[in-house]
Amino acid sequence: MLRMNRVLILAGLFLLAALWGCGDKGQMGSSGHAASGDDASEPVSGGTVVIALESEPDALNSLIRRSASAGKVLDLLGDPLADLDEDLQWFPCIASSWEIAPDRTSITYHLRPWLWSDGQPLTATDVVTTFELFMNPAVGSPHRGTFREVESVTAPDAATVVYRFRGPVADPLMTTYHALLPDHLVGELDPADVMNWSFNRQPLSCGPFVLESWDPGRSIILVRNERFSGTPALVDRVFIRVIPEAAGRVVALETGEVDFVGNLSAGDARRLADHPDIRVEHLSGRHYYYLNWNVQDAIFRDPMTRKALSHAVDRQRMIDTLLLGYGAPAVGPVAPVMWNFDSSLTADAHDPQLARDLLRRAGWRDQDGDGYLERDGKDLAFDILTKVGDPVRENGAVILRENFREIGARVSIRTMELAAALELLNQGNFTCYYGSFRANLYGDPSAVVHSDAVQAFNKGHYANARVDSLLDLALAEADRQAALPLWYQVQSILQDDQPSAYLFYVEKLVGVGPRLRDVRPHLLSPVNNLARWWIPLEQRKYRSGSP
C-alpha cells in the first residue's frame, strides 16, 4: 500500500475511535484546521476528475499485484483496519479501536459496522481469509514476506480480529497493515488459480470508490461508492487515463485533457513552473539512487575502498545534471523525511584527493604507471550494472565512470533490461549495481542492509553483526525515544561501513491543473487525499457518463 508509515505504538495503549473516520483522510492538516479551497469557497460535491497514469495495473487484486499503478488504484478502492493521516499518525478506519498486548506479542482489533460495495457486511472472517490467502504458498503472493512476524490471525467473533506475533514487535499496526478481500467471493476460489480469478479485474470495494469500467490499455473509471461506510468522496467520478509517454501526459495536462499528473520529470517540472494555470508540487520523499557494492568481490571487501569510492562521487553534479536540481545528496538508506533520520550526518563530500588517500591506505597503487590502480595483482576495475531506459541511470553511470576514472579506477558500464539485470543481482553475478530504491515509510533499512535480507534487497551480501543487532533491538523497542539512539547508531555505522554509496534523494514532482481544489500530494501518495478533492461548479465540464 502507498499510505503506510512506521509509527511506534506504546505497549498496552488503547486507542478510541477518532473524531473522523475513513474517507476523511487528509481533511485535517497539521494545524488541525479544516483545509479550504484555493479560492476560499466551500467544497461542493460532484464532477469528474481526470488523472493521467503512466501504465495500467497488472491486476486489481492485492494478493498478486506487482505494479505501482495497481497499488494507486487499489488504494482508492479499499480501506484498511487502521490508516495514517497526513501527520503520519494512526487513526481508526474499519477498526473502531484496538488493544496492544503489554508484551507486544498480539494486537486485537474491534471492527465497526462496514459494508462491501455489493451490500454484504465486512466482518472479521474477511480479515482472516485475506491473511490466509496472503500466506498461502499456492497463491505465491509477492507480499507474503511482509507478514513474517505474524504467527496467526483469528476471529473470536464477527467484529473482533486477533493477530498474534512470533515475538514482540515494536509497531503492531504496521505489522498488520494490509488490504482486505471479501470472503464471500474469494473464499471458495482455488488459490492455485489466483492468476485467472475474474476478481482480478472486477474487484469489490470497501473504500470511497468502486470500479465502474476498465478499458484495457486506455482507461479505468471509478465512481463514488454509495455504500461506503466512511465519509463519502466529494467527486462523482475518477477517470484514469493510461498515457504511457511522459510527453503525452504533460501535453494532456497543459491542454486541460487531464487534471493531474503524479510523476513529472525534472525537465517537465521546470518547463511547467512558469505555466499560469498549472501548479507544480515538490515533495521530499523516500526515493533514492545508490551504488550497491558486491562485498563478496575482492575489490569491495574492505570498507576503506568503499568509502574512498563514495568520496569520488560528485553528487551535486549528478543532482544538477540529472535532476535539474530537484534532489538532495543522500546520506544513507533512511530518508530525511523519516522520524528516525539522523540529521547530524552529512553526505560524503566530493573529494578526489581524500578518495586517493583512502585508496592508498587500503593498499591500492599504480604499479605500472598506466594511470589505474592495482592491489595484490588485481586492477581496481569493475562494471557498473544498471537498467536501460532510465536517463538518470544511463547518464548518471557516465558521470560515475568519469568520477572513478579521476581517482584511478577503470570502470565499464553494462546497461540491461531490468529483468535481466535483476537476474544477475539475484545470482550475485555483478560487481556494483546502480539502481534506485523507494525506502519504506517507517525508517527501517533492514531489507537492504540486514544480513538475513539477501533474498530481499541486500543483493551485495553485506553483513555486519553490529548492524544486525542494533536493527533487531531498535525494531523490538516500542518507546520511540528509547529506540532513536539505536537507529542513529545504525546510520552512523552504515555511513562508515558503506554497503552502498548512497547518491541522492529524488524529489517527487506533481502537476495539478486549474480545476482541482484541496489537492495535497504527500509522501504517502500523490493522490493521498483524493476523496477530499473537489471541483467548483463553474469549472465542471464533463457530463455524467463522460469522458
Side-chain angles (χ1 to χ4, degrees):
M1 283 291 206
L2 295 172
R3 297 178 291 183
M4 303 196 315
N5 185 29
R6 176 184 184 83
V7 181
L8 291 173
I9 306 298
L10 294 175
L13 187 62
F14 180 87
L15 295 180
L16 297 176
L19 295 178
W20 65 97
C22 281
D24 287 332
K25 182 179 174 67
Q27 187 172 359
M28 307 296 285
S30 58
S31 64
H33 299 296
S36 61
D38 297 345
D39 57 0
S41 61
E42 290 298 317
V44 288
S45 298
T48 297
V49 60
V50 185
I51 294 175
L53 200 62
E54 54 267 32
S55 61
E56 74 172 349
D58 52 343
L60 292 181
N61 180 345
S62 297
L63 293 174
I64 60 173
R65 73 93 181 167
R66 292 180 181 271
S67 68
S69 56
K72 292 173 185 176
V73 176
L74 285 166
D75 208 31
L76 302 173
L77 297 177
D79 276 349
L81 298 179
D83 211 342
L84 291 160
D85 63 20
E86 290 184 348
D87 294 324
L88 303 180
Q89 299 296 322
W90 290 105
F91 68 93
C93 195
I94 293 176
S96 61
S97 61
W98 54 84
E99 299 110 25
I100 298 169
D103 61 359
R104 302 190 311 282
T105 60
S106 69
I107 181 171
T108 300
Y109 289 98
H110 303 283
L111 310 189
R112 69 178 85 212
W114 207 270
L115 294 177
W116 289 103
S117 53
D118 64 355
Q120 292 295 311
L122 190 158
T123 70
T125 301
D126 297 309
V127 182
V128 174
T129 295
T130 300
F131 177 80
E132 290 176 347
L133 285 169
F134 269 116
M135 301 305 292
N136 192 326
V139 172
S141 174
H143 314 292
R144 182 182 180 186
T146 305
F147 311 109
R148 61 184 178 275
E149 295 175 284
V150 180
E151 184 173 63
S152 66
V153 182
T154 57
D157 56 59
T160 308
V161 180
V162 180
Y163 289 80
R164 301 191 186 281
F165 309 126
R166 302 185 189 283
V169 298
D171 190 350
L173 286 106
M174 179 56 59
T175 304
T176 55
Y177 186 103
H178 60 80
L180 300 177
L181 299 173
D183 173 76
H184 66 281
L185 287 187
V186 304
E188 299 301 320
L189 298 179
D190 181 2
D193 193 42
V194 65
M195 301 303 294
N196 297 314
W197 287 1
S198 60
F199 184 86
N200 300 340
R201 300 190 68 85
Q202 299 169 353
L204 281 188
S205 168
C206 60
F209 297 96
V210 296
L211 177 69
E212 180 180 81
S213 64
W214 183 352
D215 185 1
R218 295 173 59 87
S219 65
I220 294 173
I221 298 178
L222 310 180
V223 297
R224 185 191 296 116
N225 181 2
E226 300 299 340
R227 290 193 172 104
F228 184 46
S229 303
T231 303
L234 290 173
V235 296
D236 292 333
R237 302 166 72 248
V238 180
F239 187 89
I240 302 172
R241 288 187 55 192
V242 179
I243 308 177
E245 300 80 15
R249 294 193 296 274
V250 172
V251 169
L253 181 63
E254 290 178 302
T255 59
E257 295 177 46
V258 304
D259 300 307
F260 185 89
V261 176
N263 190 21
L264 293 174
S265 70
D268 289 332
R270 174 171 287 186
R271 181 164 64 85
L272 292 173
D274 296 326
H275 195 288
D277 298 322
I278 295 172
R279 186 170 82 252
V280 176
E281 295 278 358
H282 304 217
L283 307 176
S284 297
R286 52 200 169 95
H287 181 201
Y288 64 85
Y289 281 77
Y290 65 103
L291 269 179
N292 187 199
W293 312 118
N294 186 345
V295 299
Q296 294 183 315
D297 189 282
I299 291 176
F300 303 116
R301 284 177 189 155
D302 67 286
M304 191 171 293
T305 295
R306 303 196 297 265
K307 187 71 169 177
L309 293 170
S310 180
H311 277 293
V313 176
D314 190 342
R315 289 168 172 78
Q316 194 58 51
R317 179 188 171 193
M318 298 186 81
I319 293 167
D320 293 341
T321 302
L322 307 173
L323 307 180
L324 302 182
Y326 295 116
V331 177
V334 178
V337 292
M338 297 297 100
W339 70 275
N340 58 345
F341 174 74
D342 186 351
S343 60
S344 70
L345 300 177
T346 57
D348 287 339
H350 176 226
D351 191 335
Q353 186 55 55
L354 174 58
R356 295 187 195 98
D357 291 343
L358 290 173
L359 288 173
R360 188 176 301 109
R361 290 169 55 190
W364 295 98
R365 301 285 190 277
D366 181 7
Q367 303 285 0
D368 54 12
D370 66 350
Y372 295 104
L373 302 178
E374 305 94 35
R375 183 178 65 185
D376 300 329
K378 182 179 179 63
D379 290 343
L380 181 55
F382 54 90
D383 294 338
I384 295 177
L385 173 66
T386 196
K387 167 190 168 185
V388 70
D390 178 0
V392 175
R393 301 197 207 199
E394 292 181 333
N395 298 329
V398 174
I399 295 175
L400 290 167
R401 181 174 61 187
E402 293 175 4
N403 289 162
F404 294 142
R405 171 65 185 89
E406 186 179 4
I407 63 167
R410 189 196 308 270
V411 175
S412 58
I413 300 170
R414 298 178 67 191
T415 56
M416 306 179 69
E417 294 293 337
L418 182 59
L422 292 179
E423 184 175 354
L424 292 180
L425 285 181
N426 290 328
Q427 296 170 351
N429 187 18
F430 71 102
T431 50
C432 80
Y433 175 68
Y434 174 33
S436 67
F437 191 77
R438 195 173 306 278
N440 57 48
L441 284 165
Y442 41 100
D444 173 18
S446 296
V448 292
V449 298
H450 199 288
S451 62
D452 289 341
V454 173
Q455 297 304 315
F457 301 104
N458 181 9
K459 301 304 182 184
H461 290 258
Y462 174 75
N464 183 309
R466 180 60 176 158
V467 168
D468 287 353
S469 175
L470 287 168
L471 286 170
D472 294 342
L473 289 170
L475 290 169
E477 177 55 67
D479 187 308
R480 174 180 285 194
Q481 291 306 310
L484 205 55
L486 302 173
W487 290 115
Y488 286 177
Q489 288 183 63
V490 168
Q491 293 169 73
S492 178
I493 293 172
L494 293 178
Q495 191 179 53
D496 291 334
D497 212 28
Q498 293 281 328
S500 296
Y502 303 99
L503 303 176
F504 45 84
Y505 306 112
V506 182
E507 289 185 3
K508 184 78 171 178
L509 302 168
V510 173
V512 183
R515 296 195 315 131
L516 300 185
R517 301 292 184 271
D518 280 355
V519 178
R520 290 196 301 274
H522 192 271
L523 66 90
L524 293 169
S525 164
V527 297
N528 185 59
N529 74 323
L530 194 150
R532 305 269 50 87
W533 296 5
W534 60 281
I535 304 170
L537 291 172
E538 65 274 12
Q539 295 277 8
R540 296 179 189 175
K541 59 182 182 180
Y542 300 114
R543 296 179 180 178
S544 178
S546 68

